[in-house]
Short mmCIF file of all heavy atoms in Angstrom, two decimals:
data_model
loop_
_atom_site.label_atom_id
_atom_site.label_comp_id
_atom_site.label_asym_id
_atom_site.label_seq_id
_atom_site.Cartn_x
_atom_site.Cartn_y
_atom_site.Cartn_z
N GLY A 247 -8.48 -2.35 -3.03
CA GLY A 247 -9.12 -1.10 -2.65
C GLY A 247 -9.18 -0.83 -1.16
O GLY A 247 -9.74 0.18 -0.73
N THR A 248 -8.61 -1.73 -0.35
CA THR A 248 -8.59 -1.51 1.10
C THR A 248 -7.49 -0.52 1.45
O THR A 248 -6.36 -0.65 0.96
CB THR A 248 -8.32 -2.84 1.85
OG1 THR A 248 -9.31 -3.79 1.48
CG2 THR A 248 -8.35 -2.64 3.35
N TYR A 249 -7.81 0.45 2.27
CA TYR A 249 -6.80 1.38 2.78
C TYR A 249 -6.41 0.95 4.18
O TYR A 249 -7.22 1.00 5.11
CB TYR A 249 -7.34 2.81 2.80
CG TYR A 249 -7.27 3.49 1.46
CD1 TYR A 249 -8.33 3.44 0.57
CD2 TYR A 249 -6.11 4.17 1.06
CE1 TYR A 249 -8.27 4.05 -0.68
CE2 TYR A 249 -6.04 4.78 -0.19
CZ TYR A 249 -7.11 4.72 -1.04
OH TYR A 249 -7.04 5.33 -2.28
N ILE A 250 -5.15 0.52 4.35
CA ILE A 250 -4.70 0.07 5.67
C ILE A 250 -4.61 1.27 6.61
O ILE A 250 -4.81 1.15 7.81
CB ILE A 250 -3.35 -0.68 5.57
CG1 ILE A 250 -3.44 -1.80 4.52
CG2 ILE A 250 -2.96 -1.27 6.93
CD1 ILE A 250 -4.48 -2.88 4.80
N ARG A 251 -4.34 2.45 6.07
CA ARG A 251 -4.34 3.67 6.90
C ARG A 251 -5.71 3.90 7.52
O ARG A 251 -5.83 4.26 8.69
CB ARG A 251 -3.95 4.89 6.06
CG ARG A 251 -2.49 4.95 5.69
CD ARG A 251 -2.18 6.21 4.91
NE ARG A 251 -2.66 6.18 3.54
CZ ARG A 251 -3.01 7.25 2.84
NH1 ARG A 251 -2.99 8.44 3.40
NH2 ARG A 251 -3.40 7.14 1.59
N SER A 252 -6.75 3.71 6.71
CA SER A 252 -8.12 3.88 7.23
C SER A 252 -8.45 2.80 8.26
O SER A 252 -9.12 3.08 9.25
CB SER A 252 -9.14 3.82 6.08
OG SER A 252 -9.00 4.93 5.23
N LEU A 253 -7.96 1.60 8.02
CA LEU A 253 -8.16 0.51 8.97
C LEU A 253 -7.53 0.87 10.32
O LEU A 253 -8.15 0.68 11.38
CB LEU A 253 -7.55 -0.79 8.42
CG LEU A 253 -7.75 -2.05 9.27
CD1 LEU A 253 -9.22 -2.47 9.31
CD2 LEU A 253 -6.91 -3.21 8.73
N ALA A 254 -6.33 1.42 10.29
CA ALA A 254 -5.64 1.83 11.52
C ALA A 254 -6.44 2.92 12.25
O ALA A 254 -6.63 2.86 13.47
CB ALA A 254 -4.23 2.33 11.19
N TYR A 255 -6.91 3.89 11.49
CA TYR A 255 -7.69 5.01 12.07
C TYR A 255 -8.98 4.49 12.70
O TYR A 255 -9.32 4.84 13.84
CB TYR A 255 -7.98 6.03 10.97
CG TYR A 255 -8.80 7.21 11.42
CD1 TYR A 255 -8.20 8.29 12.06
CD2 TYR A 255 -10.18 7.26 11.19
CE1 TYR A 255 -8.95 9.39 12.47
CE2 TYR A 255 -10.94 8.35 11.59
CZ TYR A 255 -10.32 9.41 12.24
OH TYR A 255 -11.07 10.49 12.64
N ASP A 256 -9.70 3.65 11.97
CA ASP A 256 -10.97 3.10 12.46
C ASP A 256 -10.75 2.16 13.65
O ASP A 256 -11.58 2.09 14.55
CB ASP A 256 -11.70 2.35 11.33
CG ASP A 256 -12.16 3.27 10.22
OD1 ASP A 256 -12.26 4.49 10.46
OD2 ASP A 256 -12.42 2.79 9.10
N PHE A 257 -9.62 1.46 13.65
CA PHE A 257 -9.28 0.56 14.75
C PHE A 257 -9.09 1.37 16.04
O PHE A 257 -9.56 0.98 17.11
CB PHE A 257 -8.00 -0.22 14.40
CG PHE A 257 -7.73 -1.39 15.31
CD1 PHE A 257 -8.60 -2.47 15.36
CD2 PHE A 257 -6.59 -1.43 16.10
CE1 PHE A 257 -8.35 -3.56 16.19
CE2 PHE A 257 -6.32 -2.51 16.92
CZ PHE A 257 -7.20 -3.58 16.97
N GLY A 258 -8.46 2.53 15.90
CA GLY A 258 -8.28 3.42 17.06
C GLY A 258 -9.61 3.87 17.64
O GLY A 258 -9.79 3.87 18.87
N ILE A 259 -10.54 4.23 16.77
CA ILE A 259 -11.88 4.66 17.23
C ILE A 259 -12.58 3.51 17.94
O ILE A 259 -13.18 3.69 19.00
CB ILE A 259 -12.73 5.17 16.03
CG1 ILE A 259 -12.14 6.47 15.48
CG2 ILE A 259 -14.19 5.36 16.43
CD1 ILE A 259 -12.75 6.92 14.17
N ALA A 260 -12.47 2.30 17.34
CA ALA A 260 -13.13 1.12 17.93
C ALA A 260 -12.55 0.77 19.30
O ALA A 260 -13.23 0.15 20.13
CB ALA A 260 -13.00 -0.07 16.98
N LEU A 261 -11.31 1.19 19.55
CA LEU A 261 -10.68 0.97 20.86
C LEU A 261 -10.99 2.10 21.85
O LEU A 261 -10.42 2.15 22.94
CB LEU A 261 -9.15 0.87 20.70
CG LEU A 261 -8.58 -0.37 20.02
CD1 LEU A 261 -7.10 -0.19 19.71
CD2 LEU A 261 -8.80 -1.62 20.87
N ASN A 262 -11.91 3.01 21.45
CA ASN A 262 -12.22 4.20 22.25
C ASN A 262 -10.98 5.04 22.51
O ASN A 262 -10.76 5.55 23.61
CB ASN A 262 -12.90 3.82 23.58
CG ASN A 262 -14.30 3.30 23.36
OD1 ASN A 262 -15.06 3.88 22.59
ND2 ASN A 262 -14.62 2.18 23.98
N SER A 263 -10.18 5.16 21.46
CA SER A 263 -8.96 5.97 21.53
C SER A 263 -8.76 6.58 20.14
O SER A 263 -9.73 6.90 19.46
CB SER A 263 -7.78 5.08 21.93
OG SER A 263 -6.59 5.83 22.04
N GLY A 264 -7.53 6.73 19.74
CA GLY A 264 -7.20 7.17 18.38
C GLY A 264 -5.99 6.38 17.94
O GLY A 264 -5.27 5.82 18.77
N ALA A 265 -5.74 6.32 16.64
CA ALA A 265 -4.57 5.56 16.16
C ALA A 265 -4.17 6.03 14.77
O ALA A 265 -4.97 6.64 14.04
CB ALA A 265 -4.89 4.06 16.12
N HIS A 266 -2.92 5.76 14.43
CA HIS A 266 -2.45 6.01 13.07
C HIS A 266 -1.44 4.93 12.70
O HIS A 266 -0.89 4.24 13.55
CB HIS A 266 -1.87 7.42 12.91
CG HIS A 266 -0.69 7.72 13.79
ND1 HIS A 266 -0.79 7.84 15.17
CD2 HIS A 266 0.63 7.94 13.50
CE1 HIS A 266 0.40 8.11 15.68
NE2 HIS A 266 1.28 8.17 14.68
#
Side-chain angles (χ1 to χ4, degrees):
T248 303
Y249 279 91
I250 308 299
R251 287 183 285 152
S252 293
L253 183 67
Y255 179 82
D256 293 341
F257 193 64
I259 292 170
L261 289 170
N262 290 315
S263 182
H266 60 292

